[in-house]
Amino acid sequence: MRLKPILTALFAAATLALPAAAQDCVGQNLFERMPPARLAELQAAAEGVPYRQGLFWRAEKGERRVTLLGTYHFADPRHGLAMDRFGPELDEAALLMVEAGPEEEARLTQAMAADPSLLVDPEGPTLPERFTDAEWKSLAAALEARGLPAVIASRLRPWYVAVMLGVSPCMMRLIEERGDPGGLDHLLVERAQAAGVPVRALEPWDTVLTLFADMTPREEEDMIRAAMPAAEYADDYAVTLADTYFAGDSWLIWEFGRFDAYDHSGLSRAAVDEQMRLAQEKLMDRRNESWIEPIEQAAAEAAGQGKGVVIGFGALHLPGEHGVLRLLEERGWSISPIMLEEGTGDGG
């Protein structure tokens, strides 16, 4: 299997938990063709989520200053506005923090090359044995479109299958061609390295491999079933994600995934809600909580130098009762939005 697209998919899953797109992948924004009543229902479901609107924020506590950037992990020319705004600030920062820096990506690459069982289960039941014939036929076709032949896909670990279903086949091809996803995270790392600013990871290199370790077999299977509907129109779904991200409202696409699974996954609403709860807990909430102490420690160290810290992570880690912004607020930090000149990603 090809490591670069796989690594990109893994980091995307761990950081944004949403499908991937690129400007070169053509699709339609699904909100544009959604019945107004359905769109209103989605918006109502996202209403009231703390810090839902906005991508870029300032957190301050005494002399400590942190700039928090909600990122999108794939190439898009619209990243230029954020880099113009925050690049000079990053040049003067004491530290850049990201979920996984170059060292972490390198260690993950080495581990996967040395131990294929991280992604492939050589002993347990195969996926064709765990799903109906019709389910496996659809699943195998979706994975084949993403460069994974059925003979290999049949023994992939379920969590990894769910990750791959969230990546557009077009995006897989583009990553192979370009060799770099080119997202805001990578742009920040490149700028920091050029300016001699240290880069530090928020979590260990193997975090992505441990996120789903305690799931039951039924939970694993339902995770794949919940991911299947969007896989069938991945380019449209991905374009919708990108547009919604740059509009500063990533939580709306999270709720879209829920409603799409209600309608097309074959799971009950209760089962879909449980899958969404598990995904939020494993991909976001637990990790958000583990980041707060490292963020506070880094900010204190930077304040001792008279400097601030810049932090970039997937946009869905910002909002919510267990989002990074609310968690910092509960620890006495003052939170304020940062406005960009053209309004893209404004906080609100």
Side-chain angles (χ1 to χ4, degrees), residues 140-291:
L143 294 173
E144 182 79 34
R146 290 156 176 78
L148 294 168
V151 65
I152 294 175
S154 66
R155 284 209 168 273
L156 290 174
R157 297 194 180 276
W159 68 266
Y160 176 63
V161 171
V163 167
M164 295 306 294
L165 291 175
V167 181
S168 162
C170 170
M171 190 54 180
M172 295 289 289
R173 294 191 297 271
L174 287 172
I175 296 167
E176 282 196 304
E177 293 170 4
R178 296 174 175 176
D180 188 327
L184 184 55
D185 315 73
H186 279 237
L187 295 175
L188 291 169
V189 169
E190 290 173 2
R191 180 77 179 235
Q193 291 176 325
V197 174
V199 179
R200 183 185 302 174
L202 285 162
E203 57 194 8
W205 68 270
D206 61 347
T207 297
V208 68
L209 300 175
T210 65
L211 294 174
F212 307 96
D214 58 350
M215 295 184 74
T216 68
R218 181 54 186 266
E219 287 172 343
E220 291 178 333
E221 293 155 14
D222 282 352
M223 178 170 59
I224 292 174
R225 291 187 178 101
M228 275 298 295
E232 296 180 6
Y233 46 92
D235 288 345
D236 288 344
Y237 200 71
V239 167
T240 308
L241 162 65
D243 289 349
T244 307
Y245 165 82
F246 284 102
D249 195 4
S250 294
W251 199 265
L252 193 61
I253 199 75
W254 178 259
E255 291 300 334
F256 176 86
R258 181 194 306 275
F259 280 78
D260 195 42
Y262 285 161
D263 294 340
H264 302 116
S265 70
L267 298 172
S268 68
R269 288 177 71 98
V272 170
D273 287 341
E274 176 62 11
Q275 279 300 311
M276 297 297 288
R277 184 195 67 79
L278 284 171
Q280 182 174 336
E281 177 184 295
K282 293 175 180 296
L283 291 170
M284 294 182 282
D285 294 353
R286 288 183 186 175
R287 297 168 65 218
N288 295 346
E289 292 165 2
S290 74
W291 294 350

Side-chain angles (χ1 to χ4, degrees), residues 65-129:
R65 304 189 322 276
V66 174
T67 301
L68 300 127
L69 310 180
T71 63
Y72 172 68
H73 305 289
F74 298 89
D76 194 293
R78 289 171 286 186
H79 289 315
L81 187 61
M83 291 305 299
D84 288 345
R85 170 64 178 81
F86 298 109
E89 181 175 338
L90 177 56
D91 293 343
E92 302 301 322
L95 179 70
L96 171 67
M97 302 187 80
V98 290
E99 291 163 80
E103 292 184 10
E104 288 69 37
E105 291 188 7
R107 291 195 64 182
L108 182 58
T109 301
Q110 294 165 2
M112 289 171 54
D115 184 5
S117 70
L118 293 173
L119 301 181
V120 177
D121 183 357
E123 299 177 353
T126 64
L127 293 178
E129 293 171 328

Side-chain angles (χ1 to χ4, degrees), residues 22-45:
Q23 189 201 15
D24 305 62
C25 296
V26 178
Q28 181 179 0
N29 187 314
L30 294 167
F31 290 141
E32 294 176 356
R33 67 186 190 206
M34 185 177 293
R38 188 60 156 175
L39 183 57
E41 191 176 4
L42 283 176
Q43 291 170 334

